[in-house]
Amino acid sequence: MNIIKNQEGTTLTIKLDDRLDTITAPQMDADLKSCLDGVETLIWDFSNLEYITSAGLRTLMNTQRTMSSKGTMKIIHVNETVKGVFELTGLDDMLEEE
Amino acid sequence: MKKNRRIPLAVKMNILVSVMILCTCALLIIISNGAYNKTVIEPYVLKIEGVKVDTEAMKPFLTHFVNYVGTEELDAIWTEDREERAGRLMDWMQQHPSFLPNAEDDKRTLLNDWVDFSLMPVNIRADGDLNAVDVAVRKNGTYYSVCSEYKQDINLIEADEGNAIDFGMTVNVEDLAPEDYGKAKWYQVDKSYLLARSVQIGLDGTEALVCLNYDLTDMIREHKNYLLRCILFTVSLTVAASAVGMFLMRRYITRPVRRLAQATKEFTPEENGTYSAEKISKVEVRNRDEIGDLSRDIRSMQERIVENADNLARMTAEKERVSTELDLARDIQASLLPDVFPAFPDRHEFSLYASMTPAREVGGDFYDFFLIDDDHLALVIADVSGKGIPAALFMAVSRTVIRDQLMSGCDPVRALERANAQLCSENPHMMFVTVWLAVVEISTGKGVACNAGHEHPAVRRAGSAFELVKYKHDRPAGFIPDTAYHSREFELRPGDTLMVYTDGVPEANNPQKELFGEERMMETLNRYADAEPEELIRRMYEAVASFADGTDQFDDITMLAVKYYGRENENGEAGL
């Protein structure tokens, strides 16, 4: 999985390729530990993300919790499959989709 | 194979010092020798080569002389005794005034000529140091010596073939190769050192040689003595320096280093793997240099090793303690999950089976089932975010809260909402848990289920295939307080099987990093669609294990399956 980060001021955009699942989520978790310093707005760009599993959802939810104390987080450009996963796990209203 | 021989430090240093001293001294000797040659010897060479020999003036005399040498008459004069010889010669010469070129002139008698060096037909006055002038004529292949300046008498001596013997000094005329004539050359005659130069004079039919000598024996001998002394001094200096060097080296370097080496050899571990502080080097080295530093560094290193070994031992003991406690925790956790099967042997309306396999010693998944009352069966399956001890603790709380709420008669929604409130309140690490729970009315098969972010249940209607029941879920518990949960009604008919699981099943991975996936799961379920819950779950485990092919289990794997038979009628047959 490729992680492309783009930071402008206090806004960080993370773009992921491929999938966020049990195998790739730990890599994302490790990365997130350091890159959220000073970030107030976190944007996940899922235009290239094909699939997400509950491991990936956990990563997002945990990040949501972290971000809620210092700013906001939103997810943009989800495909139908990913959107479906969010809906079915009841997390669609939790994470702001654009 | 060349084996590297061990050479002690002291020896190496010795060699180094010796070589250095020898080289320095050799250099000095060479330089001083060169200086000596330049300042002392060379003037002689220049002088001797610069002396003019008036060969023309000498010719008449020499020609005349040639006639007389080698004759029997002259041979008869020869005797060993020099004085006798000189006397005889003088007598002979007086008898042969014609031997002298100008016999009438008293001053120019041969004898006077010989004696009066001022008339010597060799212009050597320019040089006062010249020790000797040898003149030799050759007759019939033999050289005959004629005169030598520094002697005031003359001798006529027959010369050997190749040797001109003159006044006890042998000049090997043959050594004078034609190209040497005119150049100064060194000769060692007996124990004397001569610097000689020869001039060839051609006579009618024969030749004569004038040989000029410097007898530099004393000078050369002295110089050689000087050199010898220098060399002796050098050697003694080298030996002394080496000895001192060896001693110092041994004392200040080799010995401390040996002691340090010994100290490191003795620093061995105890049986239990730790290091005793008693074995730390006690070597005291007084050197205020790198050896002293080394001694201190070795000691401090050994101290660190002792400390580390202690730390390690403590950590290992700690680890073992934790491991033991983890095993205990695993047992405790396992006891929280009902694991006696068949669970309700006297209830024939349904059968169920469940199993949880943690990824680590303790896990975050759990299942639960219990009879709320005689006609209501509660089923729970849940997955705490994470693994290990933190998840296990959260799991214990979740499970207890849910069970309490359901047991006290609440409906699933309320139970979930209350559990959620409780989990959110004491949750600084923001963990959450996905939950699926259901309450089934055993007599009718009707049930109510809630899904808080959990995987879709799989249901198989009798005679059909397993399918995932998909609908919109609520969010997991422990995440946001005051979350509203929703329930969904369903109905189980006889022969139906319900299976719930956690994501450890579809997300199990193999060495190629592929996931087991929903499809494989459904396919496996449907292969054993008719099986009883226990067999079904076992088959699922097998399928996952064989797919994983040795990969470490990444997530907890939990499954709960229920098969509904319906209410017994009086005849013991299932049916409704």
Side-chain angles (χ1 to χ4, degrees), chain B residues 155-187:
Chain B
N155 273 310
L156 244 70
I157 309 169
E158 186 175 306
D160 290 344
E161 188 100 27
N163 274 321
I165 303 167
D166 188 20
F167 305 119
M169 285 173 77
T170 310
V171 176
N172 191 342
V173 177
E174 290 250 331
D175 280 349
L176 298 171
E179 57 268 20
D180 289 344
Y181 299 152
K183 283 196 248 154
K185 216 174 160 210
W186 281 100
Y187 294 94

PDB file of all heavy atoms in Angstrom, chain B residues 155-187:
ATOM      1  N   ASN B 155     119.043   1.909  -4.696  1.00  0.00           N
ATOM      2  CA  ASN B 155     119.171   0.471  -4.763  1.00  0.00           C
ATOM      3  C   ASN B 155     118.802   0.016  -6.152  1.00  0.00           C
ATOM      4  O   ASN B 155     117.830   0.502  -6.727  1.00  0.00           O
ATOM      5  CB  ASN B 155     118.245  -0.206  -3.753  1.00  0.00           C
ATOM      6  CG  ASN B 155     118.884  -0.348  -2.398  1.00  0.00           C
ATOM      7  OD1 ASN B 155     120.009  -0.839  -2.312  1.00  0.00           O
ATOM      8  ND2 ASN B 155     118.192   0.085  -1.372  1.00  0.00           N
ATOM      9  N   LEU B 156     119.574  -0.860  -6.596  1.00  0.00           N
ATOM     10  CA  LEU B 156     119.192  -1.461  -7.855  1.00  0.00           C
ATOM     11  C   LEU B 156     118.844  -2.893  -7.572  1.00  0.00           C
ATOM     12  O   LEU B 156     119.669  -3.675  -7.117  1.00  0.00           O
ATOM     13  CB  LEU B 156     120.401  -1.430  -8.820  1.00  0.00           C
ATOM     14  CG  LEU B 156     120.178  -0.582 -10.059  1.00  0.00           C
ATOM     15  CD1 LEU B 156     120.139   0.868  -9.669  1.00  0.00           C
ATOM     16  CD2 LEU B 156     121.272  -0.834 -11.064  1.00  0.00           C
ATOM     17  N   ILE B 157     117.684  -3.131  -7.745  1.00  0.00           N
ATOM     18  CA  ILE B 157     117.257  -4.477  -7.374  1.00  0.00           C
ATOM     19  C   ILE B 157     116.539  -5.074  -8.544  1.00  0.00           C
ATOM     20  O   ILE B 157     115.751  -4.412  -9.228  1.00  0.00           O
ATOM     21  CB  ILE B 157     116.316  -4.430  -6.176  1.00  0.00           C
ATOM     22  CG1 ILE B 157     116.912  -3.599  -5.047  1.00  0.00           C
ATOM     23  CG2 ILE B 157     115.945  -5.821  -5.724  1.00  0.00           C
ATOM     24  CD1 ILE B 157     115.929  -3.302  -3.974  1.00  0.00           C
ATOM     25  N   GLU B 158     116.810  -6.297  -8.709  1.00  0.00           N
ATOM     26  CA  GLU B 158     116.065  -6.966  -9.779  1.00  0.00           C
ATOM     27  C   GLU B 158     114.627  -7.158  -9.325  1.00  0.00           C
ATOM     28  O   GLU B 158     114.350  -7.563  -8.202  1.00  0.00           O
ATOM     29  CB  GLU B 158     116.730  -8.309 -10.070  1.00  0.00           C
ATOM     30  CG  GLU B 158     116.090  -8.997 -11.273  1.00  0.00           C
ATOM     31  CD  GLU B 158     116.858 -10.264 -11.601  1.00  0.00           C
ATOM     32  OE1 GLU B 158     118.069 -10.187 -11.784  1.00  0.00           O
ATOM     33  OE2 GLU B 158     116.203 -11.327 -11.625  1.00  0.00           O
ATOM     34  N   ALA B 159     113.803  -6.860 -10.202  1.00  0.00           N
ATOM     35  CA  ALA B 159     112.392  -6.983  -9.841  1.00  0.00           C
ATOM     36  C   ALA B 159     111.828  -8.304 -10.309  1.00  0.00           C
ATOM     37  O   ALA B 159     112.244  -8.846 -11.314  1.00  0.00           O
ATOM     38  CB  ALA B 159     111.613  -5.854 -10.476  1.00  0.00           C
ATOM     39  N   ASP B 160     110.913  -8.790  -9.596  1.00  0.00           N
ATOM     40  CA  ASP B 160     110.216  -9.994 -10.043  1.00  0.00           C
ATOM     41  C   ASP B 160     109.420  -9.682 -11.287  1.00  0.00           C
ATOM     42  O   ASP B 160     109.137  -8.530 -11.604  1.00  0.00           O
ATOM     43  CB  ASP B 160     109.229 -10.469  -8.985  1.00  0.00           C
ATOM     44  CG  ASP B 160     109.926 -11.021  -7.772  1.00  0.00           C
ATOM     45  OD1 ASP B 160     111.136 -11.305  -7.880  1.00  0.00           O
ATOM     46  OD2 ASP B 160     109.264 -11.142  -6.750  1.00  0.00           O
ATOM     47  N   GLU B 161     109.048 -10.713 -11.872  1.00  0.00           N
ATOM     48  CA  GLU B 161     108.112 -10.526 -12.987  1.00  0.00           C
ATOM     49  C   GLU B 161     106.837  -9.889 -12.420  1.00  0.00           C
ATOM     50  O   GLU B 161     106.150 -10.470 -11.590  1.00  0.00           O
ATOM     51  CB  GLU B 161     107.790 -11.902 -13.587  1.00  0.00           C
ATOM     52  CG  GLU B 161     106.978 -11.836 -14.861  1.00  0.00           C
ATOM     53  CD  GLU B 161     107.878 -12.009 -16.088  1.00  0.00           C
ATOM     54  OE1 GLU B 161     108.921 -12.646 -15.949  1.00  0.00           O
ATOM     55  OE2 GLU B 161     107.520 -11.490 -17.158  1.00  0.00           O
ATOM     56  N   GLY B 162     106.586  -8.730 -12.845  1.00  0.00           N
ATOM     57  CA  GLY B 162     105.358  -8.102 -12.362  1.00  0.00           C
ATOM     58  C   GLY B 162     105.522  -7.385 -11.044  1.00  0.00           C
ATOM     59  O   GLY B 162     104.645  -6.666 -10.617  1.00  0.00           O
ATOM     60  N   ASN B 163     106.631  -7.565 -10.392  1.00  0.00           N
ATOM     61  CA  ASN B 163     106.806  -6.847  -9.147  1.00  0.00           C
ATOM     62  C   ASN B 163     108.051  -5.996  -9.194  1.00  0.00           C
ATOM     63  O   ASN B 163     109.088  -6.448  -9.650  1.00  0.00           O
ATOM     64  CB  ASN B 163     106.965  -7.833  -7.983  1.00  0.00           C
ATOM     65  CG  ASN B 163     105.608  -8.235  -7.449  1.00  0.00           C
ATOM     66  OD1 ASN B 163     104.726  -7.418  -7.353  1.00  0.00           O
ATOM     67  ND2 ASN B 163     105.474  -9.505  -7.128  1.00  0.00           N
ATOM     68  N   ALA B 164     107.919  -4.794  -8.729  1.00  0.00           N
ATOM     69  CA  ALA B 164     109.135  -4.004  -8.562  1.00  0.00           C
ATOM     70  C   ALA B 164     109.378  -3.917  -7.082  1.00  0.00           C
ATOM     71  O   ALA B 164     108.538  -3.408  -6.350  1.00  0.00           O
ATOM     72  CB  ALA B 164     108.940  -2.628  -9.170  1.00  0.00           C
ATOM     73  N   ILE B 165     110.423  -4.467  -6.689  1.00  0.00           N
ATOM     74  CA  ILE B 165     110.671  -4.462  -5.260  1.00  0.00           C
ATOM     75  C   ILE B 165     111.609  -3.314  -4.971  1.00  0.00           C
ATOM     76  O   ILE B 165     112.698  -3.220  -5.526  1.00  0.00           O
ATOM     77  CB  ILE B 165     111.312  -5.778  -4.819  1.00  0.00           C
ATOM     78  CG1 ILE B 165     110.402  -6.957  -5.228  1.00  0.00           C
ATOM     79  CG2 ILE B 165     111.530  -5.767  -3.316  1.00  0.00           C
ATOM     80  CD1 ILE B 165     111.073  -8.291  -5.110  1.00  0.00           C
ATOM     81  N   ASP B 166     111.152  -2.495  -4.160  1.00  0.00           N
ATOM     82  CA  ASP B 166     111.971  -1.331  -3.909  1.00  0.00           C
ATOM     83  C   ASP B 166     111.919  -0.955  -2.456  1.00  0.00           C
ATOM     84  O   ASP B 166     110.851  -0.670  -1.935  1.00  0.00           O
ATOM     85  CB  ASP B 166     111.473  -0.171  -4.791  1.00  0.00           C
ATOM     86  CG  ASP B 166     112.413   1.002  -4.706  1.00  0.00           C
ATOM     87  OD1 ASP B 166     113.566   0.814  -4.314  1.00  0.00           O
ATOM     88  OD2 ASP B 166     111.964   2.113  -5.039  1.00  0.00           O
ATOM     89  N   PHE B 167     112.993  -0.991  -1.876  1.00  0.00           N
ATOM     90  CA  PHE B 167     113.113  -0.581  -0.487  1.00  0.00           C
ATOM     91  C   PHE B 167     112.069  -1.246   0.393  1.00  0.00           C
ATOM     92  O   PHE B 167     111.505  -0.620   1.266  1.00  0.00           O
ATOM     93  CB  PHE B 167     112.983   0.941  -0.357  1.00  0.00           C
ATOM     94  CG  PHE B 167     113.959   1.646  -1.229  1.00  0.00           C
ATOM     95  CD1 PHE B 167     113.502   2.499  -2.227  1.00  0.00           C
ATOM     96  CD2 PHE B 167     115.326   1.444  -1.091  1.00  0.00           C
ATOM     97  CE1 PHE B 167     114.423   3.150  -3.029  1.00  0.00           C
ATOM     98  CE2 PHE B 167     116.233   2.075  -1.901  1.00  0.00           C
ATOM     99  CZ  PHE B 167     115.791   2.951  -2.875  1.00  0.00           C
ATOM    100  N   GLY B 168     111.876  -2.473   0.118  1.00  0.00           N
ATOM    101  CA  GLY B 168     110.954  -3.206   0.980  1.00  0.00           C
ATOM    102  C   GLY B 168     109.490  -3.009   0.636  1.00  0.00           C
ATOM    103  O   GLY B 168     108.633  -3.631   1.236  1.00  0.00           O
ATOM    104  N   MET B 169     109.238  -2.145  -0.290  1.00  0.00           N
ATOM    105  CA  MET B 169     107.838  -1.964  -0.645  1.00  0.00           C
ATOM    106  C   MET B 169     107.557  -2.568  -1.989  1.00  0.00           C
ATOM    107  O   MET B 169     108.307  -2.377  -2.937  1.00  0.00           O
ATOM    108  CB  MET B 169     107.523  -0.475  -0.709  1.00  0.00           C
ATOM    109  CG  MET B 169     107.430   0.115   0.686  1.00  0.00           C
ATOM    110  SD  MET B 169     107.252   1.879   0.630  1.00  0.00           S
ATOM    111  CE  MET B 169     105.584   1.983   0.203  1.00  0.00           C
ATOM    112  N   THR B 170     106.573  -3.287  -2.039  1.00  0.00           N
ATOM    113  CA  THR B 170     106.245  -3.942  -3.299  1.00  0.00           C
ATOM    114  C   THR B 170     105.155  -3.165  -4.014  1.00  0.00           C
ATOM    115  O   THR B 170     104.092  -2.920  -3.460  1.00  0.00           O
ATOM    116  CB  THR B 170     105.727  -5.367  -3.043  1.00  0.00           C
ATOM    117  OG1 THR B 170     106.624  -6.029  -2.190  1.00  0.00           O
ATOM    118  CG2 THR B 170     105.543  -6.134  -4.315  1.00  0.00           C
ATOM    119  N   VAL B 171     105.491  -2.757  -5.160  1.00  0.00           N
ATOM    120  CA  VAL B 171     104.458  -2.136  -5.975  1.00  0.00           C
ATOM    121  C   VAL B 171     104.184  -3.080  -7.112  1.00  0.00           C
ATOM    122  O   VAL B 171     105.058  -3.425  -7.877  1.00  0.00           O
ATOM    123  CB  VAL B 171     104.940  -0.778  -6.546  1.00  0.00           C
ATOM    124  CG1 VAL B 171     103.871  -0.219  -7.477  1.00  0.00           C
ATOM    125  CG2 VAL B 171     105.218   0.180  -5.423  1.00  0.00           C
ATOM    126  N   ASN B 172     103.033  -3.523  -7.142  1.00  0.00           N
ATOM    127  CA  ASN B 172     102.693  -4.465  -8.185  1.00  0.00           C
ATOM    128  C   ASN B 172     102.420  -3.702  -9.464  1.00  0.00           C
ATOM    129  O   ASN B 172     101.358  -3.128  -9.662  1.00  0.00           O
ATOM    130  CB  ASN B 172     101.484  -5.295  -7.767  1.00  0.00           C
ATOM    131  CG  ASN B 172     101.265  -6.456  -8.715  1.00  0.00           C
ATOM    132  OD1 ASN B 172     101.783  -6.445  -9.842  1.00  0.00           O
ATOM    133  ND2 ASN B 172     100.548  -7.444  -8.261  1.00  0.00           N
ATOM    134  N   VAL B 173     103.450  -3.687 -10.289  1.00  0.00           N
ATOM    135  CA  VAL B 173     103.349  -2.872 -11.494  1.00  0.00           C
ATOM    136  C   VAL B 173     102.276  -3.374 -12.427  1.00  0.00           C
ATOM    137  O   VAL B 173     101.642  -2.599 -13.137  1.00  0.00           O
ATOM    138  CB  VAL B 173     104.724  -2.846 -12.220  1.00  0.00           C
ATOM    139  CG1 VAL B 173     104.621  -2.064 -13.496  1.00  0.00           C
ATOM    140  CG2 VAL B 173     105.762  -2.222 -11.302  1.00  0.00           C
ATOM    141  N   GLU B 174     102.067  -4.652 -12.350  1.00  0.00           N
ATOM    142  CA  GLU B 174     101.053  -5.196 -13.267  1.00  0.00           C
ATOM    143  C   GLU B 174      99.660  -4.670 -12.937  1.00  0.00           C
ATOM    144  O   GLU B 174      98.750  -4.667 -13.754  1.00  0.00           O
ATOM    145  CB  GLU B 174     101.045  -6.725 -13.175  1.00  0.00           C
ATOM    146  CG  GLU B 174     102.290  -7.355 -13.761  1.00  0.00           C
ATOM    147  CD  GLU B 174     101.977  -8.092 -15.048  1.00  0.00           C
ATOM    148  OE1 GLU B 174     100.821  -8.560 -15.164  1.00  0.00           O
ATOM    149  OE2 GLU B 174     102.841  -8.196 -15.902  1.00  0.00           O
ATOM    150  N   ASP B 175      99.502  -4.276 -11.660  1.00  0.00           N
ATOM    151  CA  ASP B 175      98.187  -3.747 -11.302  1.00  0.00           C
ATOM    152  C   ASP B 175      97.864  -2.467 -12.048  1.00  0.00           C
ATOM    153  O   ASP B 175      96.727  -2.081 -12.157  1.00  0.00           O
ATOM    154  CB  ASP B 175      98.140  -3.433  -9.791  1.00  0.00           C
ATOM    155  CG  ASP B 175      97.904  -4.699  -9.000  1.00  0.00           C
ATOM    156  OD1 ASP B 175      97.573  -5.721  -9.623  1.00  0.00           O
ATOM    157  OD2 ASP B 175      98.059  -4.664  -7.769  1.00  0.00           O
ATOM    158  N   LEU B 176      98.944  -1.818 -12.488  1.00  0.00           N
ATOM    159  CA  LEU B 176      98.706  -0.561 -13.162  1.00  0.00           C
ATOM    160  C   LEU B 176      98.331  -0.836 -14.597  1.00  0.00           C
ATOM    161  O   LEU B 176      99.170  -1.011 -15.452  1.00  0.00           O
ATOM    162  CB  LEU B 176      99.970   0.312 -13.111  1.00  0.00           C
ATOM    163  CG  LEU B 176     100.436   0.698 -11.699  1.00  0.00           C
ATOM    164  CD1 LEU B 176     101.792   1.372 -11.754  1.00  0.00           C
ATOM    165  CD2 LEU B 176      99.427   1.617 -11.069  1.00  0.00           C
ATOM    166  N   ALA B 177      97.063  -0.902 -14.772  1.00  0.00           N
ATOM    167  CA  ALA B 177      96.599  -1.094 -16.147  1.00  0.00           C
ATOM    168  C   ALA B 177      96.823   0.182 -16.924  1.00  0.00           C
ATOM    169  O   ALA B 177      96.791   1.264 -16.346  1.00  0.00           O
ATOM    170  CB  ALA B 177      95.099  -1.429 -16.123  1.00  0.00           C
ATOM    171  N   PRO B 178      97.089   0.066 -18.224  1.00  0.00           N
ATOM    172  CA  PRO B 178      97.410   1.255 -19.018  1.00  0.00           C
ATOM    173  C   PRO B 178      96.414   2.403 -18.807  1.00  0.00           C
ATOM    174  O   PRO B 178      96.794   3.553 -18.754  1.00  0.00           O
ATOM    175  CB  PRO B 178      97.383   0.755 -20.448  1.00  0.00           C
ATOM    176  CG  PRO B 178      97.716  -0.689 -20.330  1.00  0.00           C
ATOM    177  CD  PRO B 178      97.163  -1.138 -19.018  1.00  0.00           C
ATOM    178  N   GLU B 179      95.155   2.097 -18.661  1.00  0.00           N
ATOM    179  CA  GLU B 179      94.194   3.195 -18.523  1.00  0.00           C
ATOM    180  C   GLU B 179      94.316   3.870 -17.162  1.00  0.00           C
ATOM    181  O   GLU B 179      93.768   4.940 -16.948  1.00  0.00           O
ATOM    182  CB  GLU B 179      92.757   2.697 -18.727  1.00  0.00           C
ATOM    183  CG  GLU B 179      92.329   1.574 -17.798  1.00  0.00           C
ATOM    184  CD  GLU B 179      92.582   0.208 -18.415  1.00  0.00           C
ATOM    185  OE1 GLU B 179      93.412   0.122 -19.345  1.00  0.00           O
ATOM    186  OE2 GLU B 179      91.965  -0.750 -17.949  1.00  0.00           O
ATOM    187  N   ASP B 180      95.016   3.208 -16.223  1.00  0.00           N
ATOM    188  CA  ASP B 180      95.176   3.826 -14.920  1.00  0.00           C
ATOM    189  C   ASP B 180      96.303   4.845 -14.913  1.00  0.00           C
ATOM    190  O   ASP B 180      96.428   5.621 -13.978  1.00  0.00           O
ATOM    191  CB  ASP B 180      95.488   2.767 -13.855  1.00  0.00           C
ATOM    192  CG  ASP B 180      94.258   1.913 -13.574  1.00  0.00           C
ATOM    193  OD1 ASP B 180      93.158   2.340 -13.958  1.00  0.00           O
ATOM    194  OD2 ASP B 180      94.404   0.833 -12.986  1.00  0.00           O
ATOM    195  N   TYR B 181      97.153   4.791 -15.923  1.00  0.00           N
ATOM    196  CA  TYR B 181      98.261   5.727 -15.911  1.00  0.00           C
ATOM    197  C   TYR B 181      97.694   7.127 -15.946  1.00  0.00           C
ATOM    198  O   TYR B 181      96.868   7.462 -16.759  1.00  0.00           O
ATOM    199  CB  TYR B 181      99.170   5.537 -17.133  1.00  0.00           C
ATOM    200  CG  TYR B 181      99.801   4.159 -17.192  1.00  0.00           C
ATOM    201  CD1 TYR B 181     100.142   3.607 -18.424  1.00  0.00           C
ATOM    202  CD2 TYR B 181     100.059   3.425 -16.051  1.00  0.00           C
ATOM    203  CE1 TYR B 181     100.731   2.363 -18.499  1.00  0.00           C
ATOM    204  CE2 TYR B 181     100.624   2.180 -16.109  1.00  0.00           C
ATOM    205  CZ  TYR B 181     100.976   1.647 -17.341  1.00  0.00           C
ATOM    206  OH  TYR B 181     101.557   0.428 -17.408  1.00  0.00           O
ATOM    207  N   GLY B 182      98.192   7.918 -15.051  1.00  0.00           N
ATOM    208  CA  GLY B 182      97.713   9.295 -15.030  1.00  0.00           C
ATOM    209  C   GLY B 182      96.654   9.506 -13.972  1.00  0.00           C
ATOM    210  O   GLY B 182      96.431  10.618 -13.523  1.00  0.00           O
ATOM    211  N   LYS B 183      95.998   8.441 -13.535  1.00  0.00           N
ATOM    212  CA  LYS B 183      94.962   8.657 -12.511  1.00  0.00           C
ATOM    213  C   LYS B 183      95.422   8.135 -11.170  1.00  0.00           C
ATOM    214  O   LYS B 183      96.148   7.146 -11.091  1.00  0.00           O
ATOM    215  CB  LYS B 183      93.706   7.892 -12.902  1.00  0.00           C
ATOM    216  CG  LYS B 183      92.917   8.605 -13.998  1.00  0.00           C
ATOM    217  CD  LYS B 183      91.524   8.043 -14.071  1.00  0.00           C
ATOM    218  CE  LYS B 183      91.421   7.313 -15.391  1.00  0.00           C
ATOM    219  NZ  LYS B 183      90.511   6.277 -15.479  1.00  0.00           N
ATOM    220  N   ALA B 184      95.000   8.759 -10.140  1.00  0.00           N
ATOM    221  CA  ALA B 184      95.375   8.290  -8.805  1.00  0.00           C
ATOM    222  C   ALA B 184      94.588   7.048  -8.448  1.00  0.00           C
ATOM    223  O   ALA B 184      93.387   6.963  -8.700  1.00  0.00           O
ATOM    224  CB  ALA B 184      95.094   9.393  -7.793  1.00  0.00           C
ATOM    225  N   LYS B 185      95.306   6.110  -7.851  1.00  0.00           N
ATOM    226  CA  LYS B 185      94.626   4.872  -7.480  1.00  0.00           C
ATOM    227  C   LYS B 185      95.122   4.416  -6.141  1.00  0.00           C
ATOM    228  O   LYS B 185      96.268   4.671  -5.776  1.00  0.00           O
ATOM    229  CB  LYS B 185      94.964   3.817  -8.547  1.00  0.00           C
ATOM    230  CG  LYS B 185      93.827   2.906  -8.837  1.00  0.00           C
ATOM    231  CD  LYS B 185      94.148   1.953 -10.000  1.00  0.00           C
ATOM    232  CE  LYS B 185      93.175   0.808  -9.863  1.00  0.00           C
ATOM    233  NZ  LYS B 185      93.598  -0.457 -10.332  1.00  0.00           N
ATOM    234  N   TRP B 186      94.246   3.750  -5.416  1.00  0.00           N
ATOM    235  CA  TRP B 186      94.626   3.250  -4.110  1.00  0.00           C
ATOM    236  C   TRP B 186      95.247   1.868  -4.223  1.00  0.00           C
ATOM    237  O   TRP B 186      94.751   1.008  -4.909  1.00  0.00           O
ATOM    238  CB  TRP B 186      93.415   3.139  -3.211  1.00  0.00           C
ATOM    239  CG  TRP B 186      92.991   4.448  -2.631  1.00  0.00           C
ATOM    240  CD1 TRP B 186      91.995   5.227  -3.056  1.00  0.00           C
ATOM    241  CD2 TRP B 186      93.597   5.121  -1.544  1.00  0.00           C
ATOM    242  NE1 TRP B 186      91.908   6.343  -2.294  1.00  0.00           N
ATOM    243  CE2 TRP B 186      92.890   6.310  -1.345  1.00  0.00           C
ATOM    244  CE3 TRP B 186      94.689   4.841  -0.697  1.00  0.00           C
ATOM    245  CZ2 TRP B 186      93.206   7.211  -0.350  1.00  0.00           C
ATOM    246  CZ3 TRP B 186      94.983   5.749   0.292  1.00  0.00           C
ATOM    247  CH2 TRP B 186      94.269   6.924   0.476  1.00  0.00           C
ATOM    248  N   TYR B 187      96.343   1.676  -3.457  1.00  0.00           N
ATOM    249  CA  TYR B 187      96.942   0.348  -3.378  1.00  0.00           C
ATOM    250  C   TYR B 187      97.172  -0.015  -1.948  1.00  0.00           C
ATOM    251  O   TYR B 187      97.602   0.817  -1.153  1.00  0.00           O
ATOM    252  CB  TYR B 187      98.292   0.296  -4.111  1.00  0.00           C
ATOM    253  CG  TYR B 187      98.112   0.481  -5.590  1.00  0.00           C
ATOM    254  CD1 TYR B 187      98.239   1.753  -6.156  1.00  0.00           C
ATOM    255  CD2 TYR B 187      97.783  -0.591  -6.405  1.00  0.00           C
ATOM    256  CE1 TYR B 187      98.049   1.925  -7.499  1.00  0.00           C
ATOM    257  CE2 TYR B 187      97.591  -0.415  -7.750  1.00  0.00           C
ATOM    258  CZ  TYR B 187      97.731   0.852  -8.290  1.00  0.00           C
ATOM    259  OH  TYR B 187      97.530   1.030  -9.621  1.00  0.00           O
TER     260      TYR B 187
END
